[in-house]
Amino acid sequence: MSEKKVSRSSFWGKLLRVVAYATIICGCLFSLLLGCIFIFRADPENRTAGILVGIAIIVIGSVASLLSSAGIMVFLDMASDLRVIRGHVESD
């Protein structure tokens, strides 16, 4: 019964890791797309402001997606460590 529980948590851990990597990729691509839209659609009179806003969107969106995925990874590593500790405690 313990092996079944480990395989379930391992499945969810792997699934969340895939979600975290997908969040990084999709977040960076979305912020790049949105930033480029702001850059290329900027009003000719305020071209500099449009470029600055577009670059800010790209940078902030990429950093935000990386930080949110890093948070998921930290909790997954803590869960993995907890599983190892639980295995050592149950074996003693």
Side-chain angles (χ1 to χ4, degrees), residues 21-82:
Y21 289 129
T23 301
I24 293 172
I25 293 169
C26 292
C28 289
L29 288 176
F30 181 72
S31 63
L32 180 67
L33 178 68
L34 192 61
C36 287
I37 288 172
F38 267 83
I39 290 171
F40 294 124
R41 295 279 201 153
D43 188 23
E45 295 175 5
N46 295 324
R47 190 84 171 144
T48 306
I51 292 172
L52 291 176
V53 169
I55 291 172
I57 288 173
I58 292 170
V59 170
I60 292 171
S62 297
V63 169
S65 67
L66 287 170
L67 288 178
S68 65
S69 296
I72 293 173
M73 293 295 190
V74 166
F75 283 111
L76 288 174
D77 288 341
M78 287 179 2
S80 173
D81 293 342
L82 188 61

